[in-house]
Amino acid sequence: MGRLDGKVALVSGGARGIGAAIAERFLAEGAKVVAGDVLDEDGRQLAGTLGAGLRYVHLDVTKPADWDAAVAAAETDFGSLSILVNNAGIVTFGRIDEYPQEQWARIIDVNLTGVFNGIKAAAPALTRAGGGAIINVSSIAGLRGYEQLSGYTASKYGVRGLTKSAALDLGSSGIRVNSVHPGVIETPMTAGMTFDTGHVPLHRTGQPPEIAALAVYLAADESSFVTGAEFVIDGGETAGTVAPPAP
Ligand code: NAD
């Protein structure tokens, strides 16, 4: 018996990285999954690999009409919608005094307004299903500042705050809303970047399936009393700083 038997999930940014790992693990736990992304080729490839339990749809999270179509696909193809994972995101770097206004507008649009759009589009369907779970992927950059990351950090703090307010608004509909705050995870987003993990208590970066494992808990009925909460999954990075391991 799977931990998500009978549930239907919509995962944004589901074509690769953390979103694809969540989609794969949800399927393994018995859910049906609609994965939405702007990377149609990657998404279709994933659907081919994971089989009929996963439907790929084109979804630009900045476009409310795309969200409506993705929610409709879940209800039409799989009968209902019970889980929304707002995972799509982008990152851009730059000192705040040099960060272009267009990049600021774009990162807020994708990382924050995209989450708002998703919640708005999915909430009626989740209510029709008798309740459900929304999981918003923020970051440890939603808990503390990072240099050269003002746009990303602002967007991820925004996701954390939006999560709290949405949890208050939707609790009476049986919809739980929580945020997830990963540290450095090895995905296409971080490929090519170098990270010093000497100060991180577990002295390593994380892997997408580790985030997927937390998402399963938050999506499943076993977390039925959990809402408006933030879940840090960062190898201890935000708990404090440890000395680098001896050479
Ligand atoms: P990724 O780049 O591998 O995956 C992100 C996905 O989002 C991609 O498939 C991309 O096409 C999609 N996407 C981007 N813009 C979109 C849009 N407008 N509409 C729909 N889809 C869009 O990155 P990832 O590391 O898997 O990141 C997933 C989430 O986790 C992001 O929100 C990211 O900010 C967050 N996160 C990642 C890390 C990390 O270290 N990798 C750490 C903390 C938080």
Side-chain angles (χ1 to χ4, degrees), residues 55-144:
R55 158 103 194 267
Y56 175 74
V57 297
H58 179 86
L59 167 66
D60 181 338
V61 294
T62 67
K63 303 218 162 87
D66 283 9
W67 274 111
D68 290 342
V71 170
E75 291 192 313
T76 305
D77 291 4
F78 298 133
S80 65
L81 180 69
S82 33
I83 303 162
L84 168 66
V85 184
N86 279 305
N87 163 78
I90 56 172
V91 66
T92 46
F93 300 90
R95 282 177 53 96
I96 190 162
D97 48 356
E98 293 165 0
Y99 195 63
Q101 206 277 340
E102 302 72 42
Q103 278 192 30
W104 168 268
R106 177 70 186 155
I107 204 164
I108 296 296
D109 202 21
V110 174
N111 290 6
L112 179 54
T113 308
V115 175
F116 167 79
N117 290 338
I119 295 172
K120 250 199 116 179
L126 295 169
T127 304
R128 278 194 289 279
I134 298 176
I135 299 159
N136 295 329
V137 181
S138 175
S139 166
I140 53 173
L143 301 170
R144 55 186 251 189

